[in-house]
Amino acid sequence: MEGRTKNRRPILATVAELAGVSVPTVSKVINGRVDVAPNTRARIEAALLELGYESPMKRRARAAMPPAVELVFGGMNEGYSLELLKGMLQEAAGEGVELVLSSMAPANLHEADHEEWARRMVESGRAGLILVTSEMSVEQLALFRAWNIPVVIIDPYNPPDSGFASVGATNWAGGKGAVEHLIGLGHRKIAHIGGPVAAECSVARQHGYLAALMGHGIEVRGEYMAMGSFSNSFGSQWAATMLDLDDPPTAIFTGNDSIAIGVLGEAQRRGIRVPEELSVVGFDGTALGGQVLPRLTSVAQPLQEMGRAALRSVLRMSRGEALDSPRMELATTLVVRDSTAPPPA
């Protein structure tokens, strides 16, 4: 499909030529007349769809409906996803906007699928798209740009270029601050279990961990590092591996709260007391971290505000307004609870 047909409503003559019928016949179908043969009607409707034509009646009906923003999660991550969603819902209520949760999985789609997805969004009158920790290439994102669909990415896996808007937190500073907290308590054998190695936020948190160790002259040990998944099971698996070492860590900084809770579970199964024998720090600051025992020390992301900021940005772009900056980073805060203490003597 040519780009010119995506951004400009085609005239009836173009539709008629593509369908092989007269302009009056096209007009009858558009205006809901019934005196058109079924086969002819089908050809005209196919041409209208291909050219992205929207009838006046459909445009008027759509104008009467509140704008809607499509939302895609790369994976529903318990407290993290819920907090982001709360913020977006709060902002949506204030703006009179609907949120539509999509089941699309961008990482599994081919280019033609993305083209069809974009076309469907235009036909549905979506105001824009918010992607949460979703893997999409610059080429895939460019398809949405070609259809003039505003896109905002929260915690992007792969950092987009400056032409795409994204919202995140100060992941590097948060990771560094978490490890410096452990160092301040006296820990020197500090491990890190992080999320996917392809995720920008995971790598930034790991780099903060490394910066803190090197800044204090503490040896970086390969057996104390693992990256792979934002999940309980991954945290439990690698906690078991690290705690089986001849010289196990006395503290573990994790890439998110889900990993940390997996570490807490493995420690409990082994009869290791937290924080007396092992300190654990999470990342995200979700409500779940405050409900486990011991309550989890965690780097809190302003998740609800990140959700609100993403929705504000996509709505501004849908109105043709320029953003102050395509990349927005909100500050993290270390929340110290009960899962960290000085190392055992």
Side-chain angles (χ1 to χ4, degrees):
M1 182 182 294
E2 296 295 329
R4 62 184 176 84
T5 63
K6 298 171 185 174
N7 303 318
R8 188 176 66 188
R9 183 165 61 91
I11 59 176
L12 296 188
T14 309
V15 180
E17 181 181 356
L18 183 60
V21 298
S22 67
V23 170
T25 304
V26 173
S27 181
K28 287 181 181 181
V29 171
I30 289 173
N31 290 293
R33 295 269 297 274
V34 296
D35 53 336
V36 179
N39 289 341
T40 303
R41 179 183 298 277
R43 290 205 313 277
I44 294 172
E45 289 176 345
L48 291 169
L49 188 62
E50 181 175 342
L51 293 170
Y53 183 88
E54 190 176 54
S55 71
M57 288 188 296
K58 188 174 181 180
R59 288 199 301 277
R60 286 194 294 271
R62 191 177 72 181
M65 298 173 63
V69 173
E70 195 156 317
L71 175 61
V72 176
F73 285 93
M76 293 299 287
N77 194 316
E78 301 172 359
Y80 169 87
S81 301
L82 182 60
E83 290 300 308
L84 285 174
L85 188 56
K86 282 181 182 177
M88 284 185 266
L89 287 171
Q90 291 166 3
E91 190 70 20
E95 292 279 353
V97 174
E98 292 183 345
L99 281 179
V100 179
L101 187 60
S102 174
S103 61
M104 301 300 286
N108 300 327
L109 298 180
H110 300 293
E111 181 176 330
D113 299 320
H114 282 87
E115 185 86 16
E116 174 63 20
W117 182 8
R119 185 191 61 77
R120 178 185 55 75
M121 286 189 64
V122 170
E123 289 179 355
S124 302
R126 299 282 191 256
L129 173 66
I130 296 177
L131 300 166
V132 182
T133 59
S134 293
E135 295 184 70
M136 288 186 74
S137 67
V138 172
E139 292 75 20
Q140 290 168 334
L141 288 168
L143 288 172
F144 290 90
R145 175 186 283 169
W147 285 84
N148 291 329
I149 299 171
V151 178
V152 175
I153 311 164
I154 298 178
D155 273 344
Y157 260 57
N158 40 335
D161 65 29
S162 59
F164 297 97
S166 62
V167 177
T170 51
N171 292 295
W172 182 88
K176 186 171 183 286
V179 178
E180 288 184 335
H181 164 67
L182 293 169
I183 293 170
L185 291 171
H187 292 275
R188 294 298 180 270
K189 296 187 288 185
I190 305 169
H192 175 56
I193 305 175
V197 70
E200 181 188 26
C201 57
S202 289
V203 174
R205 292 166 197 176
Q206 184 199 55
H207 287 177
Y209 158 82
L210 294 171
L213 293 184
M214 291 186 286
H216 289 268
I218 298 173
E219 178 188 4
V220 176
R221 299 171 58 169
E223 67 270 29
Y224 281 2
M225 296 173 60
M227 294 184 72
S229 170
F230 285 130
S231 65
N232 291 169
S233 59
F234 187 74
S236 175
Q237 171 195 340
W238 276 97
T241 298
M242 292 176 180
L243 293 173
D244 279 338
L245 294 171
D246 292 337
D247 187 21
T250 61
I252 300 178
F253 163 56
T254 67
N256 77 341
D257 287 352
S258 291
I259 297 173
I261 290 170
V263 172
L264 292 178
E266 181 61 25
Q268 185 180 40
R269 282 189 287 274
R270 291 168 174 256
I272 295 174
R273 294 174 299 153
V274 177
E276 292 85 357
E277 297 174 284
L278 177 69
S279 288
V280 182
V281 180
F283 204 109
D284 284 342
T286 59
L288 187 59
Q291 295 166 0
V292 295
L293 293 175
R295 296 183 309 142
L296 184 65
T297 294
S298 182
V299 179
Q301 297 193 78
L303 295 172
Q304 292 190 25
E305 179 54 32
M306 287 165 61
R308 288 191 289 268
L311 188 58
R312 282 196 299 268
S313 295
V314 83
L315 291 176
R316 285 185 62 183
M317 288 191 292
S318 74
R319 295 191 289 262
E321 301 173 17
L323 302 181
D324 298 330
S325 171
R327 170 66 176 173
M328 186 181 300
E329 282 196 351
L330 305 182
T332 55
T333 306
L334 180 66
V335 179
V336 180
R337 297 191 181 109
D338 305 328
S339 66
T340 52

